[in-house]
Amino acid sequence: MDEVDRSIVAVLEADGRISNAELAARVGLSPSPCLRRVRRLEETGVIRGYRAVLDPAAVGRGLRVFAGVRLVRHGRADVVAFERAVVRLPGVVQCHHVTGDYDYLLHVEVADLPAYEDFHANRLAGLPSVAAVTSYVTMKTLSAGSR
Amino acid sequence: MDEVDRSIVAVLEADGRISNAELAARVGLSPSPCLRRVRRLEETGVIRGYRAVLDPAAVGRGLRVFAGVRLVRHGRADVVAFERAVVRLPGVVQCHHVTGDYDYLLHVEVADLPAYEDFHANRLAGLPSVAAVTSYVTMKTLSAGSR
DNA sequence: AATGAAAGGAATCCCCC
DNA sequence: GGGGGATTCCTTTCATT
C-alpha cells in the first residue's frame, strides 16, 4: 500500500465502474501496471468487491431504522443463535455488536412503517434471547461526500 | 421497473463491475437492450453510482462507532448549522436524523480508539448546539448476504 | 422494445526495460 | 515495478423486426 495504491482505492471507492484506462490516467500510470495493482488489491482483500449504489425507495427499502437490541442472556450459545438468526431476517442490512446500552445495533431497511411494524413484532421480537428493542426511525440521512 | 430491471439492479448490487455482456446473459437479454436498460436506470436515479467496497482496516478506518447526538436547541438555524458542520467532520460516514432518544445517529469510521477520542472531544463536542453524545463502539459487524 | 452486425475502444497478457 | 504492443473481448450504435 503505497501512495499510488491509496489513490487507486480512493478513485475506485468514488467510481467503481471507471475504466482501467481512465483509472491509470488519473493515478499517473499506464494501464498495464495499473491493472496489476488493482488485481493485487483485490487478491489481498483491500478491495472486497464492487457494488451498485441504489435509490432505496426505488427498490422497496424506503425506510431505514436502527434498532438497539438487548439480549436476556449472554451465554455463547445464546449469542451464536441470535447472531445466526438475525442476519437472515429480511431487511437486516448489518448487525453491529456494540458497547454501551445495547448489545447489538441493527441497521434495518424495509419498505415503510407498516413493514417495520411487522419486522419488529413478528420477526425481531421472536428471536432467541431478545429482551428489548429500541427503534430509531430515520427521517433523513446526510452522507459525507463520496460515500 | 419490471422484473428484468429488478434482476439487473440485484445483479449490479452484488457485482458492480460485471461486464454488460455477462449481465445480459444473467438476466436473459442480449447486450444491447441490457445496456439500454442500465443507462435508463442510471439516468432515472435508480442506480446512483458504483463503488468499490474496501477493507476498512486496510484504509485506516478500522474502528466503527455509532454516536447518538442530542442538540441543545432545535431552531432551524441551529439544525442547519449542525447538519452542515457534521458531514464535514473527517470520519463521519453518514448522519441520520432519527426519532427516539437522540436527534441524530452518526455513523463514524476512524483508525482506532485514540482517533475516536480525538474525534469525540475535539471535533464533535465542539459543534454548534451539541448537548450530549452517546457512543456505541462496534466490536464486530455481521453483514446480511450480498450487502 | 429486442435483435444482430459492425466499428471502435478497452482489458488483458507477454515480453522488454 | 513500469511500459509498449498484440490479441481478444466488450461496448456501443444503428438498421431491422
Side-chain angles (χ1 to χ4, degrees):
Chain A
M1 280 293 278
D2 59 5
E3 269 311 309
V4 177
D5 282 346
R6 274 185 279 274
S7 299
I8 287 173
V9 297
V11 172
L12 287 175
E13 188 172 32
D15 181 2
R17 270 210 110 149
I18 192 174
S19 73
N20 180 61
E22 193 183 335
L23 173 62
R26 290 234 212 139
V27 303
L29 284 178
S30 61
S32 300
C34 185
L35 184 62
R36 253 182 313 193
R37 280 171 177 267
V38 171
R39 291 287 176 266
R40 196 170 52 79
L41 290 165
E42 290 167 351
E43 280 157 19
T44 59
V46 175
I47 297 173
R48 290 184 171 173
Y50 302 89
R51 305 216 184 108
V53 180
L54 307 178
D55 175 8
V59 293
R61 306 197 288 247
L63 184 69
R64 177 180 294 144
V65 182
F66 291 89
V69 175
R70 274 198 297 266
L71 300 190
V72 178
R73 287 161 282 121
H74 297 85
R76 182 181 299 270
D78 303 300
V79 165
V80 169
F82 171 79
E83 291 183 357
R84 290 198 45 161
V86 73
V87 294
R88 294 169 182 275
L89 294 184
V92 172
V93 177
Q94 286 185 319
C95 170
H96 306 281
H97 184 203
V98 295
T99 67
D101 298 338
Y102 310 116
D103 294 312
Y104 295 94
L105 201 53
L106 306 187
H107 172 177
V108 179
E109 289 182 7
V110 292
D112 52 24
L113 215 36
Y116 185 71
E117 200 278 331
D118 175 69
F119 172 86
H120 184 283
N122 301 323
R123 308 278 185 162
L124 185 55
L127 286 199
S129 302
V130 168
V133 177
T134 304
S135 296
Y136 298 92
V137 175
T138 297
M139 294 176 284
K140 179 173 70 170
T141 292
L142 309 165
S143 282
S146 64
R147 280 182 292 176
Chain B
M1 281 292 280
D2 59 6
E3 268 312 309
V4 177
D5 283 345
R6 272 185 280 275
S7 299
I8 286 173
V9 297
V11 171
L12 287 175
E13 188 173 33
D15 181 2
R17 271 210 107 149
I18 191 174
S19 74
N20 180 63
E22 192 183 333
L23 174 62
R26 290 234 213 139
V27 303
L29 284 179
S30 58
S32 301
C34 184
L35 184 64
R36 250 183 301 141
R37 280 170 179 266
V38 171
R39 291 285 175 266
R40 195 167 53 77
L41 291 165
E42 290 167 351
E43 280 157 19
T44 58
V46 175
I47 296 174
R48 290 183 170 174
Y50 302 88
R51 302 213 186 115
V53 180
L54 307 179
D55 174 8
V59 294
R61 305 196 289 245
L63 185 69
R64 178 180 293 143
V65 183
F66 290 90
V69 175
R70 274 196 298 264
L71 299 189
V72 177
R73 285 160 284 120
H74 298 83
R76 183 181 299 269
D78 303 299
V79 165
V80 169
F82 171 79
E83 292 183 355
R84 290 198 45 161
V86 74
V87 294
R88 294 169 181 275
L89 293 184
V92 172
V93 177
Q94 286 186 317
C95 170
H96 306 281
H97 184 203
V98 295
T99 67
D101 298 336
Y102 309 116
D103 294 313
Y104 295 93
L105 202 54
L106 307 187
H107 172 176
V108 179
E109 290 181 7
V110 290
D112 50 25
L113 215 37
Y116 185 71
E117 199 280 331
D118 175 69
F119 173 86
H120 184 283
N122 301 324
R123 310 278 185 162
L124 186 53
L127 286 197
S129 300
V130 167
V133 178
T134 304
S135 298
Y136 298 92
V137 175
T138 298
M139 295 176 281
K140 180 173 71 172
T141 294
L142 308 166
S143 283
S146 65
R147 278 184 295 177

